[in-house]
């Protein structure tokens, strides 16, 4: 039913400004009586960060920034949902237009700049569904004008750690000037020390809330060495690789739109994001699991992420072009891969190709 509805709605949504289409999609998800997706094959289950995921496919941050539709997304078959990025205080983000489709490339450029309804509104919604079950993480970021950005992260950990399944520290958005500097070794060490301290203070009865770090795919390998070193030393629970890229691959066809400022996502990001995932995997040495995100638009791309080192995956941009049917398609591709190799679980494939991927020529 949702497939038919989507097929009818997609041409209409694509005729709208991307941001208006997105707002309408959120409204539809919030009101439509959605059928529950079929239960997941138990071979797709993943245990990571102390949580039991029914399947490895997550909705990436940025789709449900304000926590309006996590349960609709879980019903539609996602194994987990990452809400946010949320900032402590409400803020509008950059002036519109600020989201652009690269249709011929199946890509998106955005420079939203953390438009957020703010912590209180999101907290109220997540608290209202706290007993609904399902894995709903929260992605947190600093307000643009914060005098002390680290203090913003600390404040958000204190508020959200007690109710979120996990918290992602987002220091990799390219659209808040200077934010990515928090990925540098010394700044990152200070940030992690303070947020982990905050997490310990608000630890739930159920145990500490997992803390994940989301990085940019644009780090140099020396910067990645440092970021992984600090993340391991400070014992984060996992990393997400990665956010949108400021690079513009030579293969892009939508030359004019490609000149828009902002982070590029979708299919053109796949080679770089998968390479950075594999580079991260070999440096992490199984100290914690990774979430692979960037350019997944097919079962093959999803399997490639797992083989490059992802225990879990997330996607966003491909939904604009492929619709929600992609989630079921990826599940069946992953199951076929397991059957082909007579395996019982995806964990046996995680990182199988990481060394080979890191030996390839750098994606251009
Ligand atoms: C319109 C848009 C908004 C996004 N907003 C956020 C955000 O608020 N926080 C964040 O961590 N990532 C955000 N992202 C990045 C995605 O979570 C993801 O890392 C990136 O898009 C790569 O995945 P994809 O190629 O499957 O889209 C956003 C992406 C898009 C396209």
């Amino acid at each position: 039913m949702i497939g038919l509805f989507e097929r009818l709605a997609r041409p209409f949504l694509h005729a709208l400004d991307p941001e208006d289409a997105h707002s309408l999609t959120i409204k539809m998800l919030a009101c439509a009586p959605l059928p529950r997706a079929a239960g997941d094959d138990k071979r797709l289950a993943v245990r990571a960060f102390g949580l039991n995921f029914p399947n490895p496919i997550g909705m990436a941050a940025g789709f449900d920034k304000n926590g309006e539709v996590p349960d609709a997304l879980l019903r539609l078959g996602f194994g987990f949902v990452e809400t946010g990025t949320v900032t402590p205080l409400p803020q509008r983000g950059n002036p519109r237009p600020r989201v652009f489709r690269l249709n011929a490339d199946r890509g998106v450029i955005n420079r939203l700049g953390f438009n957020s309804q703010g912590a209180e509104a999101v907290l109220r919604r997540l608290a209202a569904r706290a007993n609904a079950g399902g894995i709903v993480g929260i992605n947190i970021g600093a307000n643009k004008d914060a005098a002390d950005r680290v203090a913003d992260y600390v404040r958000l950990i204190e508020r959200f750690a007690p109710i979120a399944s996990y918290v992602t520290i987002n220091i990799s958005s390219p659209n808040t000037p200077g934010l990515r500097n928090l990925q540098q070794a010394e700044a990152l060490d200070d940030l992690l020390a303070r947020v982990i301290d905050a997490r310990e203070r608000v630890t739930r009865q159920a145990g500490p809330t997992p803390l994940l770090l989301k990085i940019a795919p644009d780090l140099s390998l020396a910067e990645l060495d440092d970021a992984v070193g600090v993340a391991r030393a400070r014992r984060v629970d996992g990393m997400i690789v990665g956010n949108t890229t400021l690079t513009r691959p030579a293969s892009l066809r939508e030359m004019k739109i490609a000149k828009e400022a902002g982070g590029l996502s979708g299919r053109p990001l796949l080679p770089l994001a998968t390479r950075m995932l594999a580079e991260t995997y070999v440096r992490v040495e199984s100290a914690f699991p990774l979430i692979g995100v960037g350019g997944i638009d097919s079962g093959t791309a999803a399997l490639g992420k797992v083989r490059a080192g992802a225990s879990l995956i997330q996607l966003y941009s491909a939904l604009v072009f492929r619709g929600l049917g992609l989630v079921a398609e990826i599940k069946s591709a992953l199951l076929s891969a397991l059957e082909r190799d007579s395996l019982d679980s995806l964990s046996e494939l995680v990182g199988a190709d990481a060394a080979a991927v890191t030996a390839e020529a750098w994606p251009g």
Side-chain angles (χ1 to χ4, degrees):
M1 188 180 112
I2 189 80
L4 177 66
F5 174 72
E6 268 202 292
R7 264 200 299 282
L8 295 172
R10 204 168 321 132
F12 169 68
L13 289 173
H14 274 232
L16 298 177
D17 163 81
E19 208 174 332
D20 289 336
H22 181 256
S23 308
L24 199 60
T25 304
I26 295 281
K27 284 202 181 78
M28 287 191 299
L29 287 172
C31 328
L34 298 170
R36 186 173 286 281
D40 287 315
D41 188 303
K42 64 179 187 325
R43 289 170 296 172
L44 290 178
V46 174
R47 185 162 171 81
F49 326 125
L51 303 171
N52 291 315
F53 295 78
N55 73 66
I57 309 163
M59 174 58 92
F63 181 85
D64 187 15
K65 281 182 185 271
N66 296 302
E68 293 170 280
V69 291
D71 293 297
L73 295 168
L74 294 171
R75 279 182 87 85
L76 289 169
F78 281 99
F80 63 111
V81 175
E82 187 164 315
T83 55
T85 296
V86 61
T87 54
L89 301 174
Q91 64 177 28
R92 303 171 85 88
N94 291 320
R96 290 177 67 166
R98 51 191 183 174
V99 184
F100 307 87
R101 294 187 202 102
L102 288 76
N103 288 322
D105 302 301
R106 297 272 193 266
V108 174
I109 289 176
N110 93 80
R111 52 169 180 266
L112 288 163
F114 287 171
N115 51 321
S116 171
Q117 291 175 7
E120 290 314 313
V122 179
L123 202 60
R124 245 194 330 273
R125 290 192 192 106
L126 293 191
R129 54 101 32 222
N131 298 322
I135 297 181
V136 179
I138 182 86
N139 176 306
I140 61 173
N143 277 117
K144 184 174 175 221
D145 300 326
D148 176 357
R149 286 198 168 145
V150 176
D152 272 15
Y153 288 94
V154 166
R155 206 164 132 197
L156 290 166
I157 295 274
E158 288 168 350
R159 302 307 304 275
F160 283 97
I163 60 160
S165 303
Y166 67 86
V167 180
T168 299
I169 299 155
N170 179 11
I171 45 173
S172 49
S173 166
N175 301 314
T176 295
L179 191 83
R180 283 182 164 197
N181 296 340
L182 287 172
Q183 296 175 118
Q184 305 302 322
E186 209 175 313
L188 183 60
D189 191 56
D190 176 55
L191 170 71
L192 290 182
R194 286 170 66 185
V195 296
I196 286 170
D197 181 56
R199 191 260 306 262
E200 302 313 316
R201 274 186 272 117
V202 296
T203 287
R204 304 171 298 188
Q205 268 182 333
T209 308
L211 281 188
L212 314 185
L213 188 64
K214 184 167 179 179
I215 61 168
D218 300 334
L219 293 179
S220 69
L221 292 181
E223 289 169 328
L224 183 64
D225 285 342
D226 287 350
V228 170
V230 172
R232 288 182 65 170
R234 289 286 171 195
R235 295 177 177 274
V236 303
D237 297 279
M239 285 173 70
I240 305 183
V241 187
N243 217 311
T244 56
T245 180
L246 287 171
T247 65
R248 297 290 185 265
S251 58
L252 289 177
R253 292 160 63 192
E254 301 269 16
M255 302 293 281
K256 199 159 152 254
I257 307 173
K259 292 201 176 73
E260 291 290 347
L264 172 69
S265 56
R267 187 182 285 175
L269 173 59
L270 181 70
L272 175 65
T274 305
R275 175 63 177 263
M276 286 303 277
L277 171 68
E279 296 283 356
T280 307
Y281 182 82
V282 297
R283 286 163 173 75
V284 167
E285 298 174 308
S286 302
F288 44 68
L290 303 177
I291 301 182
V293 50
I296 298 173
D297 66 350
S298 67
T300 309
L303 186 61
K305 288 281 190 210
V306 173
R307 297 188 66 100
S311 296
L312 298 158
I313 57 174
Q314 291 176 326
L315 49 93
Y316 179 172
S317 301
L319 296 173
V320 173
F321 302 103
R322 298 287 323 279
L324 285 157
L326 179 59
V327 177
E329 184 187 312
I330 291 175
K331 287 181 191 174
S332 65
L334 294 177
L335 283 171
S336 303
L338 291 178
E339 271 152 27
R340 227 174 12 247
D341 293 348
S342 308
L343 301 175
D344 292 332
S345 125
L346 282 171
S347 62
E348 301 178 62
L349 294 175
V350 174
D353 293 345
V357 172
T358 58
E360 289 168 5
W362 195 262

